[in-house]
Amino acid sequence: MNYDRILIRYGEMSLKGRNRKHFVTKLKKNIKFILQDFTKIKIEADWDRMYVLLNGEEAELVMTALKKVFGIQSFSPAIKTEKDIDAIRSAALHIIDQAHIPGNTFKVSARRSDKKFEYNSNALNHAVGAHILINTEDIRVDVKKPDINLIVEVREEAAYISGQVIQGAGGFPVGSSGKAMLMLSGGIDSPVAGYLTMKRGVNVEAVHFHSPPFTSERAKQKVLDLAEKLGQYSGSVKVHIVPFTAIQETIHKEIPEAYSMTATRRMMLRITDEIRKNREGLAIVTGESLGQVASQTMDSMYAINDVTSTPIIRPLITMDKLDIIKIAEDIDTMEISNRPYEDCCTIFTPPAPKTRPKLDKIIMFESKFDWTSLLNEAVDQTETVMVSCRNKKGSEEDLF
């Protein structure tokens, strides 16, 4: 007797009311995409649970893939049995036999949602626990900190028995909360911002500004590698690579040095907003953290934000750098972000950028040059690359 399914719990999705079906359907679609290499599996979705029927597939491999699917609060490898106490005892003992090391402790956590079943939760705890104690050597009960927590759920259709609960990625299914453009620089912060935004159910497309010959092809590849890491959580990430050299050179010539950084960020935001409109996105995501650098002071963000009325999502705005680094390490983007290839944000950087730029001044400086054709040209010449978690280019339909 082996595990025949993975039982998936929704967590925060369970708080949804009449629109829960939308989230469950999206989660099922995302799981199906992530598990598409496992050709034998079948996915069944209920109101408060989802099941991945293994049909002979390796449970450990399937569970490894599920750990990166947003919308899953937790999951358990499980055995389905008839609602019969002997069948439940047999499955429970099998799980204990596989997991037990002499000297281990255990407890039974039973839940009976089918109130017609002859044993209530406490009676199930005692009936299953006694069977294990009688038939297993060198094991004892510990209800507070057991080595093995045996979970028994008796539902309307069947009973499910599991020996472990694995934490999922949490949040909402990617794509359930709309689409946004992520300004992906190649540094530490923006990939973390993208990850946290996807966790809230947002389908993210990345916008990267590339300024050859000042930035290299390696810097561009660095961003694509970061997008691939994010794609492990969202299926695929579309990356829009904007040619930014002409605009940066013009800023360097036309804008006073102290305000050049503010102007650069404003031009980036304008272009990102145009791409957002073309892609029917609803917001822009940045990796800004308040006060971290000169362009991320309150005054700077106020002056930069003036170019758009589009909502700007800043998941890192109040986070310490060490907290951001911890998440970057957890999602395995840190090493890539630390590669020594400069992005366009680091070139033409003035020695003393304004930390409290005045909005009226930057508007006045920009008004002396017509930026329209340069901005339109950058949008028109943007290169789009689909980066898939499956390490190959995909179609737009691959996206969650």
Side-chain angles (χ1 to χ4, degrees):
M1 185 187 298
N2 295 314
Y3 289 119
D4 56 31
R5 67 199 59 226
I6 309 296
L7 186 156
I8 293 171
R9 303 174 187 88
Y10 299 150
E12 191 173 359
M13 282 171 51
S14 298
L15 302 176
K16 296 297 179 181
R18 287 178 292 180
N19 63 341
R20 187 191 297 191
K21 182 179 179 181
H22 163 71
F23 290 86
V24 172
T25 301
K26 198 67 179 174
L27 178 59
K28 182 178 180 181
K29 178 183 177 183
N30 294 356
I31 291 174
K32 185 178 180 181
F33 179 83
I34 286 293
L35 300 181
Q36 61 183 284
D37 286 340
F38 300 93
T39 57
K40 298 177 183 178
I41 68 162
K42 182 180 179 182
I43 302 171
E44 296 178 350
D46 288 338
W47 179 251
D48 60 348
R49 291 285 189 275
M50 193 173 293
Y51 302 93
V52 178
L53 278 59
L54 295 171
N55 294 320
E57 297 285 4
E58 180 62 44
E60 288 296 331
L61 296 177
V62 173
M63 290 190 293
T64 297
L66 289 176
K67 287 179 181 178
K68 294 183 177 180
V69 179
F70 289 126
I72 298 176
Q73 186 65 27
S74 66
F75 56 90
S76 299
I79 297 173
K80 179 181 179 180
T81 74
E82 297 177 357
K83 293 188 294 182
D84 173 81
I85 191 61
D86 290 332
I88 292 171
R89 283 170 169 165
S90 176
L93 183 60
H94 175 73
I95 290 174
I96 290 293
D97 286 344
Q98 287 188 325
H100 176 54
I101 298 172
N104 273 174
T105 59
F106 83 104
K107 78 170 184 178
V108 180
S109 300
R111 178 186 176 192
R112 183 192 65 161
S113 58
D114 180 4
K115 303 305 180 184
K116 296 179 182 179
F117 187 67
E118 57 184 322
Y119 291 81
N120 63 25
S121 296
N122 285 332
L124 265 173
N125 286 338
H126 291 298
V128 176
H131 185 71
I132 291 169
L133 287 170
I134 292 169
N135 291 280
T136 307
E137 293 184 1
D138 197 10
I139 194 169
R140 59 187 176 86
V141 174
D142 183 346
V143 297
K144 292 184 178 180
K145 293 184 178 179
D147 296 309
I148 306 170
N149 182 16
L150 193 68
I151 302 164
V152 178
E153 292 191 31
V154 179
R155 299 170 66 81
E156 294 290 338
E157 73 284 359
Y160 301 90
I161 299 90
S162 176
Q164 58 181 316
V165 176
I166 300 165
Q167 195 66 29
F172 294 119
V174 173
S176 62
S177 301
K179 181 193 294 183
M181 302 295 118
L182 168 67
M183 298 179 73
L184 186 61
S185 67
I188 296 171
D189 299 340
S190 55
V192 174
Y195 164 81
L196 293 175
T197 303
M198 289 190 294
K199 187 172 183 176
R200 302 312 299 165
V202 179
N203 184 8
V204 164
E205 295 187 12
V207 178
H208 176 68
F209 294 87
H210 187 49
S211 296
F214 305 107
T215 58
S216 67
E217 285 299 310
R218 289 183 175 180
K220 177 179 172 181
Q221 185 60 49
K222 175 182 175 180
V223 168
L224 295 178
D225 290 344
L226 287 170
E228 185 177 325
K229 288 292 183 182
L230 293 178
Q232 295 177 1
Y233 298 90
S234 66
S236 301
V237 174
K238 181 168 283 191
V239 183
H240 306 283
I241 301 170
V242 181
F244 201 57
T245 308
I247 293 174
Q248 281 201 280
E249 289 177 331
T250 306
I251 290 172
H252 186 62
K253 295 175 184 176
E254 302 291 336
I255 304 294
E257 184 177 66
Y259 273 82
S260 63
M261 180 186 63
T262 304
T264 298
R265 299 299 192 275
R266 281 165 61 91
M267 298 301 169
M268 287 178 170
L269 195 53
R270 284 188 175 105
I271 292 170
T272 301
D273 205 25
E274 283 302 310
I275 295 172
R276 176 200 63 79
K277 293 175 186 176
N278 295 339
R279 297 294 304 153
E280 299 182 347
L282 300 176
I284 295 170
V285 183
T286 76
E288 293 165 306
S289 177
L290 186 60
Q292 185 175 153
V293 295
S295 65
Q296 296 175 20
T297 64
M298 288 283 279
D299 296 87
S300 288
M301 287 190 287
Y302 177 75
I304 294 166
N305 232 69
D306 175 68
V307 301
T308 180
S309 59
T310 298
I312 307 294
I313 299 173
R314 296 181 173 95
L316 314 184
I317 195 67
T318 62
M319 293 179 65
D320 293 338
K321 190 66 175 184
L322 290 178
D323 295 329
I324 299 169
I325 289 173
K326 174 63 168 60
I327 298 174
E329 290 172 341
D330 289 343
I331 64 175
D332 199 26
T333 58
M334 188 68 182
E335 181 274 329
I336 300 173
S337 294
N338 279 334
R339 292 176 189 170
Y341 310 126
E342 290 188 327
D343 58 46
C344 67
C345 295
T346 59
I347 63 175
F348 298 131
T349 301
K354 281 284 186 182
T355 59
R356 301 183 66 183
K358 302 300 182 184
L359 178 59
D360 57 347
K361 284 192 174 182
I362 186 61
I363 291 175
M364 183 264 293
F365 293 145
E366 289 178 357
S367 68
K368 295 179 179 180
F369 185 85
D370 186 359
W371 302 90
T372 305
S373 60
L374 282 177
L375 293 172
N376 290 340
E377 184 178 351
V379 173
D380 292 341
Q381 294 183 3
T382 293
E383 174 192 5
T384 299
V385 179
M386 178 75 79
V387 180
S388 172
C389 67
R390 297 163 62 79
N391 247 341
K392 64 181 183 181
K393 291 184 179 180
S395 65
E396 189 165 342
E397 286 69 29
D398 286 338
L399 285 166
F400 282 177

